Amino acid sequence: GGSFVEVRGLRVGYKVPHGVVQAIDGVDLTIDRGEALGIVGESGCGKSTLGLGLLRLLPSNATTSVDTFRVGDTDVAGLSQAAFRREVRWKRVSMVFQSAMNSLNPVRRVGEQVADAYRLHHPQASKREVQARVDRLFELVDIPRARQRNYAHEYSGGMRQRAVIALSLVCDPDVVIADEATTALDVVVQNQILDALADLRTELGIALIVISHDIGVISHTCDRVAVMYAGQVVESGAVADVLASPRHPYTASLMAALPRLTGPRFRPVSLPGSPPDLADPPTACRFAPRCPIAADICTDVPPAFDPDHRWPARCHFAGDERLRQLGTERTS
Ligand code: ATP
Ligand code: MG
């Protein structure tokens, strides 16, 4: 394809005492340069596993396979571990880890931590070059220069998160994966972080993968969204399309939890039941046991994901009329 990043057939299984947890089961993604792709889905659906799998940072009980992983002209899937570490991790693709803002070193000034990270990857850099680069990174994430001298505990949560984003940028990556980058923060600060990420796209042309359980966060930052359920993408397309008329019942139920700014008011109704055991998922549609419009075919035949639709959905009843009312209850 013509996309800047292309991932096809990603699979990750975790070996556990009772079998294999298939946390990612055949995920495809494409992202253009400077584009933001959102990955949304409830806890345990495999979002972090996806990011860590792409960066080859999974624990040793994980087995990963991928048919295609290309960044620009680089066939990343074909690289040895050593070449991947040398050429791709942090340099082409970097990641802001879930809860990373609490992992800053408490006894080293934040500016020095960013300088350390830069020096690690650029051992030949002069003192002036390092300082210039650190200044630029702090500027990019909107932290005043004077604050480089502070320790992490002197930062607010939002500043710590922005410092962690600065760290993800030390090698000038093409793609940044931001895993729940705003989850622990209040709404005002969340929006500041999301705006900082958006600036990186426009100023540096970085492609973003924004991972969040909150579809509101995705709608604020992303051009396109992939909705994940139980290790699979169940719907993907332009944010505007998917949010305006979700085609998969799971997406519709996520949408129902979003506060509406206009139109009739709906009280969100949380989705009954829980996601399947990924060591033994339903063999046909994984969402069927929780789906309000499921029929016999849903437990008998795996639904296809039709990539020819403008926003495909993995559902036998994709785009069904009944989805409009799904999971919502009028309050007035
Ligand atoms: P959250 O929103 O809570 O961060 P997530 O979507 O990021 O969730 P993952 O952390 O990727 O989900 O987990 C996906 C599945 O893999 C879950 O069922 C989880 O229990 C399982 N899993 C994650 N890490 C391991 C591991 N090291 N060993 C075994 N199973 C794991
Ligand atoms: Mg996670």
Side-chain angles (χ1 to χ4, degrees):
S3 300
F4 180 58
V5 180
E6 185 181 3
V7 176
R8 302 265 169 225
L10 180 66
R11 295 171 57 83
V12 178
Y14 292 107
K15 207 172 288 158
V16 292
H18 59 288
V20 174
V21 170
Q22 199 62 50
I24 299 287
D25 198 3
V27 165
D28 300 342
L29 304 171
T30 59
I31 313 162
D32 288 329
R33 212 179 257 284
E35 188 182 41
L37 171 72
I39 309 278
V40 69
E42 71 201 304
S43 185
C45 72
K47 304 180 298 294
S48 294
T49 301
L50 173 68
L52 295 169
L54 292 179
L55 274 184
R56 299 197 195 177
L57 287 174
L58 288 164
S60 58
N61 66 328
T63 307
T64 308
S65 68
V66 68
D67 298 331
T68 305
F69 181 13
R70 185 179 54 73
V71 179
D73 293 332
T74 309
D75 170 19
V76 175
L79 296 179
S80 68
Q81 279 302 49
F84 183 87
R85 215 179 307 118
R86 201 171 51 237
E87 294 165 28
V88 177
R89 191 188 298 151
W90 312 130
K91 301 184 179 77
R92 306 294 304 273
V93 185
S94 78
M95 185 160 170
V96 177
F97 300 110
Q98 195 166 353
S99 316
M101 63 187 249
N102 302 318
S103 67
L104 290 168
N105 185 338
V107 297
R108 192 139 172 81
R109 298 175 200 279
V110 179
E112 286 170 343
Q113 290 184 56
V114 178
D116 291 345
Y118 186 75
R119 264 188 240 103
L120 184 71
H121 293 281
H122 306 83
Q124 316 290 2
S126 69
K127 218 174 154 185
R128 266 183 62 193
E129 215 176 309
V130 173
Q131 190 54 53
R133 185 66 188 158
V134 172
D135 288 349
R136 171 74 177 138
L137 290 169
F138 273 71
E139 185 191 1
L140 278 169
V141 296
D142 219 9
I143 300 178
R145 202 163 191 268
R147 305 283 269 162
Q148 289 178 27
R149 297 186 51 74
N150 290 137
Y151 295 91
H153 73 265
E154 298 171 303
Y155 274 23
S156 66
M159 281 178 73
R160 282 204 292 274
Q161 187 60 288
R162 276 181 277 156
V164 166
I165 292 171
L167 280 170
S168 77
L169 301 174
V170 295
C171 294
D172 224 348
D174 300 314
V175 185
V176 174
I177 304 170
D179 190 359
E180 302 284 4
T182 63
T183 300
L185 305 166
D186 70 56
V187 175
V188 174
V189 180
Q190 275 200 13
N191 288 337
Q192 288 169 3
I193 300 295
L194 297 177
D195 291 342
L197 287 172
D199 287 349
L200 300 180
R201 293 172 57 193
T202 46
E203 286 185 39
L204 306 178
I206 287 176
L208 289 177
I209 299 179
V210 178
I211 293 175
S212 179
H213 65 280
D214 180 351
I215 202 161
V217 165
I218 302 290
S219 71
H220 189 108
T221 2
C222 297
D223 311 298
R224 283 190 305 124
V225 60
V227 180
M228 282 188 68
Y229 186 77
Q232 298 179 326
V233 173
V234 293
E235 177 163 3
S236 77
V239 166
D241 287 336
V242 173
L243 267 67
S245 33
R247 299 183 68 239
H248 193 285
Y250 178 64
T251 316
S253 70
L254 284 180
M255 296 302 309
L258 252 193
R260 312 269 161 114
L261 296 177
T262 55
R265 293 192 159 274
F266 289 98
R267 184 184 7 239
V269 175
S270 71
L271 195 59
S274 49
D277 176 5
L278 292 176
D280 185 23
T283 50
C285 175
R286 294 184 173 189
F287 187 61
R290 298 171 83 184
C291 182
I293 63 168
D296 285 348
I297 188 176
C298 306
T299 48
D300 294 342
V301 182
F305 190 75
D306 175 11
D308 293 332
H309 193 279
R310 197 166 95 199
W311 68 106
R314 196 185 293 279
C315 175
H316 291 298
F317 299 102
D320 192 280
E321 253 324 282
R322 288 168 295 172
L323 296 183
R324 298 197 186 182
Q325 291 306 314
L326 214 102
T328 60
E329 188 178 277
R330 276 185 102 123
T331 57
S332 59

